[in-house]
Amino acid sequence: MNSPKELKRELRRSALERRDALDPCWRIEASLEMAEVAKTVIDIKPGGIVSGFWPMRSEVDVRPAMFALRENGARLCLPAILDKSTIVFRELVRGAALVDMGFGTAGPGEEAETLDPDIMLVPLAAFDARGHRIGYGAGFYDRAIARLTAAGHAPRLIGIAFDCQEVPEVPDEPHDVVIPEILTESGLRRFEPPL
């Protein structure tokens, strides 16, 4: 029998193959539509902090959604990789230079203010109908969310994906963080917390 890690690896691989097969022009249109949905369904108080991510490979381009939320008064931040296990969130300011963060992504440099997000737009490779997600395997977001929660700051978590990334069931592991909401091209889905 395959271990949860092996099952996740296979689910990740197949979900990413489906995502990679999407027409690039369609992905752009879907990302823009998702931004319109985000602007209307994600409430943000003026000055509230939203973390997004700079897209890599065939990910949803979440930048239009981030900028739509900025129009609604949000301060934006992006993850910055500090080492092989830690990310923090640095403020994204208009006109500020971005630096290479590895993994094909970019983020604000060390001079940017470190922020604790109120809302986290979370990248993922795959998800199921319970809100369980598979990331890219490094655990950066699981650890960052656990650190924020332990410090008394529990951000609203919204996964960002295309519908084709849904899988029948993600194997449960103790360190996994359930994502209660996922935004896809079909809209914002909310998952009931386990009893």
Side-chain angles (χ1 to χ4, degrees):
M1 184 169 171
N2 291 341
S3 71
K5 283 194 184 327
E6 291 168 330
L7 289 170
K8 283 184 175 181
R9 191 176 305 121
E10 178 55 30
L11 290 168
R12 179 186 300 115
R13 184 196 60 74
S14 62
L16 292 178
E17 281 180 0
R18 290 190 301 274
R19 189 183 77 185
D20 289 344
L22 295 172
D23 177 74
C25 292
W26 181 89
R27 285 197 308 258
I28 292 168
E29 289 299 320
S31 296
L32 292 171
E33 289 172 21
M34 291 165 68
E36 289 301 313
V37 172
K39 191 173 185 175
T40 59
V41 300
I42 300 175
D43 293 327
I44 186 75
K45 295 177 183 164
I49 300 166
V50 174
S51 72
F53 52 91
W54 216 250
M56 58 185 188
R57 299 189 299 267
S58 59
E59 281 183 327
V60 171
D61 187 347
V62 74
R63 292 173 295 187
M66 292 169 55
F67 301 146
L69 293 171
R70 179 166 47 201
E71 289 174 14
N72 285 355
R75 291 174 71 187
L76 302 179
C77 56
L78 293 172
I81 299 170
L82 298 185
D83 56 43
K84 292 186 180 195
S85 66
T86 308
I87 57 174
V88 295
F89 298 91
R90 293 181 181 153
E91 187 165 18
L92 176 63
V93 180
R94 286 183 197 267
L98 298 179
V99 298
D100 180 11
M101 288 291 162
F103 302 101
T105 189
E110 294 178 7
E111 70 286 350
E113 184 178 355
T114 299
L115 303 172
D116 290 338
D118 300 309
I119 296 173
M120 292 177 71
L121 305 179
V122 181
L124 53 88
F127 68 97
D128 67 19
R130 303 173 302 149
H132 291 245
R133 78 181 265 277
I134 298 175
Y136 293 104
F140 284 117
Y141 273 85
D142 289 334
R143 285 188 297 278
I145 293 164
R147 178 179 44 80
L148 289 166
T149 303
H153 191 83
R156 178 181 175 187
L157 306 174
I158 303 172
I160 304 293
F162 294 114
D163 286 332
C164 70
Q165 293 172 251
E166 186 170 0
V167 298
E169 185 173 1
V170 171
D172 297 349
E173 291 188 275
H175 65 273
D176 290 341
V177 175
V178 176
I179 305 293
E181 300 173 274
I182 296 191
L183 178 62
T184 72
E185 70 272 19
S186 296
L188 184 67
R189 294 172 59 183
R190 292 184 171 94
F191 305 101
E192 293 298 320
L195 298 175

